Amino acid sequence: MEQLKHECGVAMIRLLKPLDYYQKKYGTWAYGFNKLYLMMEKQHNRGQEGAGIASVSLTNKPGTEYMFRERAEGKDAITEIFSRVTEEMKGELLIGHLRYSTTGKRGLTYVHPFLRRNNWRAKNLCLCGNFNMTNIDEIFHFLTSQGQSPRIYGDSYITLELMGHRLDREVERLFTKAKKLGLKGTDITQYIDEHVKMANVLKTTMQHFDGGYVMCGMTGSGEMFAMRDPWGIRPAFWYKDDEVVVLASERPVIQTCFDLPAEDIHELERGQALIVRNNGESCLQQILPARQLSACSFERIYFSRGSDCHIYQERKRLGEQLTPAIMQAIKGDVTNTVFSYIPNTAEVSFYGITDGIRKLKHDVRIEKVVWKDIKLRTFIADNNERNDLAAHVYDITYGSLKPYEDNLVIIDDSIVRGTTLRESIFKILDRLHPKKIVMVSSSPQIRYPDYYGIDMARLEEFCAFRAAIALIKERGMQQIIADTYRKCKNSTCTENHVRAVYAPFSIEEINQKIVEMLRPEGMQAPIELVFQSIDGLHRACPAHPGDWYFTGHYPTPGGTRLCNEAFVSYVENELKMQL
């Protein structure tokens, strides 16, 4: 499948003992950094465009630096930033971030963590997160209407400025209170540092946002926090003992790095924050009321590490549930069928399929038919030669099928744009001369963009959408496009009107049209598509009901609004191309 650029990864560590404790017990001052490095490497799958780390020392004196940051771009960014770590950077608070751009913006400027500096330790703010906000225009207007002038237009910087503004207000509240108590000089500073309530800052900041997020941050005075969105769209897990408090985007990361059983690790709940005070005391606080659970199902299908015990079983169920549809596609002829998968994320679902076939008392013929080679550089300007190079990203195992006799069932975790199938996979599979290719997706048809952290924002990118539009035009139903466009233009609408594009057609009709569109010229073998059902998705992943990619039911108003706007953009771009 085409690689999706998607939500980022976060890692957070608070050391609860004096730093010399870790030197004595573990033999190194860098114990915290070593753990942070492991946690970030174990989440490298979540971001390869850049990485950043930051630390805060609680013991450094005035006149010396106490908040440090390192950032780098590229797939080797983790190695690069940790190679720069020196003993001067050691601290009790550590955060790390792995970045995939979800906005198309590139450059070191956009790599987390972000810093907001001030001479008051308590007003220094460092922020990173796995998030995408859908109402950034409104927040920008909110800030500018107060007289602020953010330097950069982007959800990361605007979030930093809004939260920094609220942190300033919290510090000023405590300053006024300290003065009334008769405190002076550094006693005021100490009073502020000891009484900052990050819950106040988070409540007055995050109530403004519409989106999916896990927000992590720390202040120069030693406050630390992580908060999850009220719908539970983006994931976060935490662990605490007498030495550390840690948080990561994925549970097995903490299990592996700290050698823990799954039951010792807790999921951060919807609208909840994990807050660690500068004295090391930690608590969970409900910052915003929990909304309807909309934990992302795509996390389970594709993005998260399959080593998580629950995700592993869910992916196997996704595969096994497809067994009846596969049996129908091959007309029950298991004897003359080879089963395989597209490397690498579909492997576990493939095991589920083979389990399902064996439960029907059949022997399963398994072959590694497809191999993924290194990414080839398509640097030649000519489009034909560029496409020819792209076709060789994958290779096949010659002799793995009996030509013209064997069906080939091959599973991928999702079919998004279909480009890789058309330009590469179908072409090379046809060289094996299968009797029939059954292309299986462990997810349902992806029909709608995501606006909560995954780089899928344009409707026309999806082969399912293009197929539905093609069917509308073939059948003279263009009025659906016109009506949908008119409704989507209404900026006050709260309904996803794009769903009307798919309403006239069955899954099978769209499948057939996708096959027509993706079938390379000259291909001989027939192709049939088998997609996961929506019901099957929810049965396999019951605790992650967020299915807006497939159903168009967005959990927040901002997602619905942006989807309607995407359809307006699609229609208007089409009209421009026709002129």
Side-chain angles (χ1 to χ4, degrees):
M1 78 167 261
E2 304 94 339
Q3 187 181 42
L4 299 178
K5 294 179 179 179
H6 49 85
E7 60 255 36
C8 306
V10 295
M12 188 173 92
I13 298 177
R14 173 59 157 91
L15 301 177
L16 301 178
K17 302 285 189 182
L19 292 178
D20 60 2
Y21 169 90
Y22 304 93
Q23 176 76 53
K24 292 175 183 176
K25 182 171 180 179
Y26 299 105
T28 175
W29 64 267
Y31 171 80
F33 279 107
N34 290 342
K35 291 296 186 183
L36 187 67
Y37 171 77
L38 287 173
M39 291 172 71
M40 292 177 69
E41 281 289 7
K42 292 295 182 182
Q43 295 182 102
H44 211 158
N45 57 299
R46 301 185 74 87
Q48 298 182 35
E49 288 185 5
I53 57 174
S55 64
V56 168
S57 168
L58 299 177
T59 57
N60 286 12
K61 302 299 182 183
T64 60
E65 184 60 85
Y66 51 86
M67 181 177 274
F68 305 88
R69 178 181 65 170
E70 289 289 344
R71 299 182 295 173
E73 292 185 272
K75 61 182 178 63
D76 299 320
I78 298 176
T79 303
E80 183 177 341
I81 57 179
F82 278 94
S83 71
R84 301 181 200 152
V85 171
T86 63
E87 190 167 357
E88 287 70 29
M89 292 177 62
K90 66 183 180 182
E92 294 84 357
L93 290 75
L94 306 168
I95 60 174
H97 185 267
L98 296 139
R99 183 174 192 264
Y100 257 136
S101 168
T102 58
T103 62
K105 294 178 179 177
R106 303 287 188 272
L108 198 62
T109 302
Y110 297 98
V111 177
H112 303 211
F114 299 102
L115 291 182
R116 194 174 189 263
R117 294 290 200 174
N118 195 282
N119 266 0
W120 289 73
R121 286 187 72 133
K123 286 188 176 183
N124 282 268
L125 179 63
C126 182
L127 203 64
C128 71
N130 170 13
F131 62 91
N132 207 42
M133 306 303 187
T134 68
N135 63 334
I136 203 64
D137 290 345
E138 298 169 21
I139 307 301
F140 185 80
H141 176 73
F142 174 74
L143 287 174
T144 55
S145 66
Q146 294 181 327
Q148 296 192 57
S149 184
R151 295 183 299 112
I152 295 175
Y153 186 89
D155 56 2
S156 301
Y157 270 93
I158 291 174
T159 304
L160 177 73
E161 290 303 323
L162 179 57
M163 190 175 293
H165 172 67
R166 299 315 309 173
L167 180 61
D168 289 347
R169 300 289 81 78
E170 172 68 9
V171 171
E172 288 158 11
R173 177 186 72 83
L174 293 171
F175 179 86
T176 301
K177 191 172 180 180
K179 294 282 284 186
K180 288 180 178 179
L181 291 173
L183 300 178
K184 297 180 180 180
T186 57
D187 289 339
I188 294 178
T189 302
Q190 184 176 346
Y191 179 84
I192 292 172
D193 290 351
E194 291 176 352
H195 291 85
V196 168
K197 293 184 178 179
M198 284 309 302
N200 290 346
V201 177
L202 293 171
K203 286 176 181 177
T204 54
T205 301
M206 303 315 295
Q207 64 178 336
H208 294 284
F209 286 104
D210 178 303
Y213 56 83
V214 171
M215 197 71 65
C216 298
M218 55 189 183
T219 70
S221 59
E223 303 295 317
M224 196 173 212
F225 65 88
M227 180 181 170
R228 191 179 185 192
D229 67 79
W231 299 271
I233 295 170
R234 300 271 72 88
F237 298 85
W238 62 273
Y239 166 76
K240 175 189 174 184
D241 60 24
D242 63 343
E243 292 185 348
V244 294
V245 177
V246 298
L247 179 135
S249 294
E250 301 193 30
R251 175 170 47 195
V253 169
I254 301 176
Q255 284 185 255
T256 299
C257 293
F258 292 88
D259 190 19
L260 298 168
E263 55 268 23
D264 285 358
I265 299 165
H266 311 280
E267 188 168 7
L268 196 61
E269 299 297 333
R270 288 168 282 158
Q272 192 178 72
L274 172 65
I275 296 176
V276 188
R277 294 297 324 281
N278 65 355
N279 62 4
E281 294 178 359
S282 61
C283 66
L284 296 169
Q285 287 193 245
Q286 196 68 35
I287 302 300
L288 297 175
R291 307 292 290 270
Q292 182 177 351
L293 178 62
S294 300
C296 175
S297 57
F298 225 128
E299 283 275 350
R300 320 301 281 184
I301 297 167
Y302 173 61
F303 297 133
S304 296
R305 292 172 66 87
S307 57
D308 183 282
C309 56
H310 293 165
I311 293 174
Y312 184 82
Q313 294 302 324
E314 289 170 12
R315 289 182 181 174
K316 285 192 73 175
R317 284 198 295 272
L318 286 167
E320 185 172 347
Q321 288 172 172
L322 291 162
T323 303
I326 292 170
M327 291 295 288
Q328 182 177 347
I330 62 174
K331 297 181 169 54
D333 187 8
V334 177
T335 302
N336 293 304
T337 300
V338 169
F339 294 83
S340 193
Y341 61 92
I342 305 292
N344 287 320
T345 52
E347 183 176 1
V348 180
S349 295
F350 169 75
Y351 296 148
I353 289 175
T354 58
D355 285 352
I357 299 295
R358 290 189 182 103
K359 287 179 181 179
L360 298 174
K361 309 300 183 184
H362 292 287
D363 292 329
V364 185
R365 293 175 57 198
I366 298 171
E367 301 288 353
K368 184 163 183 176
V369 174
V370 177
W371 301 76
K372 187 170 185 179
D373 289 333
I374 59 171
K375 187 172 183 179
L376 299 170
R377 294 183 179 273
T378 53
F379 52 82
I380 299 175
D382 183 84
N383 284 336
N384 291 330
E385 293 180 346
R386 186 186 298 272
N387 290 338
D388 185 60
L389 279 173
H392 290 85
V393 171
Y394 290 90
D395 207 344
I396 50 172
T397 303
Y398 291 95
S400 54
L401 303 182
K402 290 180 289 185
Y404 307 107
E405 294 182 27
D406 285 338
N407 301 308
L408 174 59
V409 173
I410 192 156
I411 187 170
D412 202 347
D413 45 46
S414 57
I415 299 172
V416 186
R417 303 173 184 91
T419 307
T420 304
L421 290 178
R422 183 183 65 245
E423 299 296 338
S424 179
I425 291 174
F426 283 157
K427 287 180 178 179
I428 62 170
L429 292 180
D430 198 45
R431 296 178 184 178
L432 297 173
H433 306 297
K435 180 181 177 182
K436 181 181 185 179
I437 296 173
V438 180
M439 188 72 218
V440 183
S441 170
S442 63
S443 74
Q445 289 177 353
I446 296 176
R447 298 181 167 192
Y448 304 93
D450 178 68
Y451 299 105
Y452 305 118
I454 299 161
D455 191 10
M456 296 191 295
R458 297 169 62 240
L459 283 161
E460 55 267 38
E461 291 184 353
F462 306 121
C463 58
F465 178 80
R466 298 196 306 272
I469 293 293
L471 288 170
I472 286 173
K473 292 179 178 179
E474 285 178 8
R475 300 182 186 184
M477 302 165 70
Q478 286 89 336
Q479 190 61 41
I480 292 174
I481 297 176
D483 290 345
T484 302
Y485 174 78
R486 176 177 50 80
K487 292 176 181 177
C488 288
K489 283 285 282 187
N490 180 358
S491 61
T492 62
C493 65
T494 58
E495 179 183 350
N496 182 359
H497 296 293
V498 183
R499 299 180 75 239
V501 170
Y502 298 98
F505 312 114
S506 67
I507 296 287
E508 290 72 24
E509 286 176 302
I510 294 177
N511 282 356
Q512 290 170 11
K513 179 53 65 174
I514 291 173
V515 169
E516 288 179 30
M517 296 168 62
L518 300 186
R519 185 182 183 85
E521 184 178 352
M523 185 174 180
Q524 295 181 354
I527 304 169
E528 183 171 342
L529 294 180
V530 172
F531 282 93
Q532 184 72 244
S533 68
I534 301 296
D535 287 343
L537 171 69
H538 292 313
R539 286 196 304 272
C541 309
H544 290 73
D547 61 4
W548 55 92
Y549 313 87
F550 318 114
T551 66
H553 295 308
Y554 289 90
T556 77
T560 300
R561 174 178 55 81
L562 291 176
C563 186
N564 287 332
E565 290 178 4
F567 188 80
V568 170
S569 296
Y570 162 73
V571 173
E572 293 179 351
N573 288 336
E574 285 289 298
L575 291 174
K576 287 179 184 177
M577 292 174 64
Q578 293 172 14
L579 294 177

